[in-house]
Amino acid sequence: MRWRLRLLSALGALPAGLRAASGTGGHAGGHVLQDSLSGTGGTAPVPDRHGPSHGRGRGDTVRAWTELFRVSALFSAPGDGLAGAAAVGRSPGRGTALAIGASLCLYEAGLALNDWADREEDAVDRPHRPIPSGRISPPAALRAAGVLTAAGLVLAARAGRPALAVATGLAGTVWAYDLHLKHTKAGPAAMAAARSLDLLLGATATATAPAGRGPRPGPRTARPARGGAVPLTAAPDNVAARPRPALGALAAALPAALVLGAHTYGVTAVSRHEAQGGSTAVPLAVLATTATLGAIVLAAHRGRRPGEPTTPGLGGRGLGVTGPGEYRESHQHLTVPAPAPALTPLLLTAFTGAYLRTAGPPLLHAALNPSPPLTQRAVGGGIRAMIPLQAALATRAGAPASGLAVMALVPLARSLARKVSPT
């Protein structure tokens, strides 16, 4: 009897959480940890500092970083580079690959910096996020943002000085948005500028990237044959393979960049209400903008007469292209010797329809019921809709193969969106 009294006295001295765990075989201890991570009461939970024995394993760490980087939204970045390459009448090449790599790094840097800057606000509104829940420390997120920014600038520098200049402007815009502009009236415009610069980065890097090892691409010249035979004149290479001035590339890609920027402006404007909801006018206005952008892309292509050069972007004359390798040099611009393939209008219509179908219904639902869940769904739909919009812009510029490559990212983004929220 005396040892039983001693045991009861010892148990009474234990903390409540440990007494519950000792009496249930460890299951109640799991509930205590789960409650502590839920952020009840609007405050951030204390980070777990006791190691993997309390449920913090490698899988939990990977999950936290995938949430911080919103990997399901990452697939909206490569299409900027491909659409930019198509806008300047080029097939994707080394410069395009470097631009896409830089874009991915800067995109992820912006997401990490965003959560670092919003850590106090998220502790109240979204305590489940990686930083306020204690799964990722604020210094680690800030270091990741810095390292990824540096990596993006290094990749852009390898594509040439013009690409580095655009990437520097893009990085500066991203940091300015996350650290200050996000909570001002200039926030949506800053985010739109960042997305437009991302497309211009792909255009500039593709058009001005220095050649790798070996001779620089350009027209081949005939060489005397051995033995005095009459030389055969080789057909000239694609003249578009020559590096062109950066300003010309920016001008050619600017119309497409403005379309993508206008869409981004609308998505950002809706996202400002995703935590509290309550806005009906903003989703309705963005829905109208989405329909207008789709109509502009289709009307620009249908307004072209058969055999008329297709201009990268959304109108005007200058650089014409119907597809990779279909270029001809003129005095001041490139013209197309043949009309666009019959398949291109069908693909353009399909991609534009996918854009409207992805962005439109969630916006309509958010306008009818501006609750936080439906508003967040509208933001997610707007992010995913960037992919078919990029595909439509690439196809509109005469690169249906690039459009198909961009659309191939849709299933991956949709599958990951079910596991990791893009917002």
Side-chain angles (χ1 to χ4, degrees), residues 329-344:
E329 188 170 10
S330 180
H331 293 291
Q332 295 181 352
H333 60 273
L334 299 177
T335 58
V336 181
L343 186 61
T344 300

Side-chain angles (χ1 to χ4, degrees), residues 123 163 168 305 413:
T168 302
R305 296 185 301 271

Side-chain angles (χ1 to χ4, degrees), residues 45-66:
V46 178
D48 183 2
R49 303 180 185 273
H50 298 288
S53 61
H54 285 254
R56 187 67 50 80
R58 180 177 299 177
D60 294 332
T61 302
V62 172
R63 172 76 183 186
W65 284 102
T66 56

Side-chain angles (χ1 to χ4, degrees), residues 69 74 77 99-111 144-145 147-153 155:
F69 289 139
L74 187 61
I100 292 175
S103 173
L104 293 173
C105 290
L106 295 176
Y107 189 89
E108 295 290 41
L111 293 177
V147 170
L148 287 169
T149 300
L153 294 178
L155 290 173

